[in-house]
Amino acid sequence: MNLDMMLFAKDEKPLENMVSNGGYTAIFRKIGVVGDSLSSGEFESLDPNGNKGYHDYFEYSWGQNLARMCGSTCYNFSRGGMTAKEYCESFADSMRFWDPQYACQCYIIALGVNDIHNQGQDIGSVEDICKEDYTKNAKTFIGYYAQIIQHLKKIQPRAKFFLMTMPKEDGRRIQKKTMVHRKAIYDLADYFDNTYVIDLYEYGPIYDAEFRKKFYMGGHMNPMGYVLTAHMVASYIDFIIRHNPEDFKEVGYIGTDLTYCE
């Protein structure tokens, strides 16, 4: 049995080996998902007059599918239409999501569609981040996004963070903004410690017409789409853990004062 070939192959690409049971993502017993409708299991409906309805079905979200795969607890810190700005300015407080009882070993953050595509939020840069006081971050996408990470780090200092890019779609206008968002995500991951990128733009499938026919219902995913996303997220985190094992050996101690020093 060659573990190096099976688990640590240097030429392996993310999502090249999909897991069905959560893989090493299961080392996280408490997972928090900060996101919008696509993190909330949102479905669209149509009434007899063709009017659309939008409904968050959290039990169908990829976060809850991920939790069932791993046997872990997952908190949906999400809602349809969410932005980093609203999350910081009102939503998280109103929902008491900053309460230490919800502290997690890892956080998966999937924000940006509403911020960048729908509301045209100024992206900003990591220079918008105030290390000493996150409430003084500039009011840009990166400023608000960083504030979420900084606040969660204050609650759970040793937590791991996984930041998701948007997937590649068939549309030049959409793709240009998606690439700007992708760069912002990588800049944030470089800025903070214990922070990694789930790059669905580079390594995920193209969300084209054929993909949407199978996995979407209107502008949001169908049940199969959320299960597929759960498998991609679990597989990507599994890949990151396997290729950075030293970073994750003390995950079991997150939330405690314990450590292991050789």
Side-chain angles (χ1 to χ4, degrees), residues 84-85 88 115-116 121-130 134 137-150 180-189 191-192:
K85 179 178 186 292
C88 291
D115 314 67
I116 307 306
Q121 173 83 31
D122 178 22
I123 290 284
S125 72
V126 292
E127 294 181 1
D128 296 335
I129 303 170
C130 178
Y134 55 75
N137 288 5
K139 298 183 183 302
T140 62
F141 174 69
I142 285 182
Y144 284 117
Y145 199 115
Q147 183 175 332
I148 295 171
I149 297 173
Q150 289 169 288
V180 172
H181 174 270
R182 179 174 180 263
K183 181 182 183 302
I185 293 302
Y186 271 98
D187 288 346
L188 285 160
Y191 185 89
F192 290 107

Side-chain angles (χ1 to χ4, degrees), residues 3-28 66 69-70 108 161-163 186 196-200 202-204 230-248:
L3 282 177
D4 285 339
M5 289 295 293
M6 290 179 61
L7 301 178
F8 312 115
K10 292 182 179 179
D11 59 348
E12 180 189 2
K13 298 292 189 297
L15 303 185
E16 188 174 332
N17 295 301
M18 296 286 284
V19 298
S20 59
N21 60 354
Y24 282 97
T25 305
I27 67 174
F28 298 111
L66 177 66
M69 289 165 59
C70 297
I108 307 168
F161 290 83
F162 300 93
L163 316 182
Y186 271 98
Y196 309 84
V197 176
I198 298 175
D199 192 348
L200 295 184
E202 180 67 22
Y203 298 106
H231 283 290
M232 289 194 292
V233 172
S235 300
Y236 210 120
I237 294 177
D238 171 83
F239 169 86
I240 291 171
I241 294 170
R242 287 189 289 104
H243 288 268
N244 302 276
E246 290 298 308
D247 292 0
F248 297 92

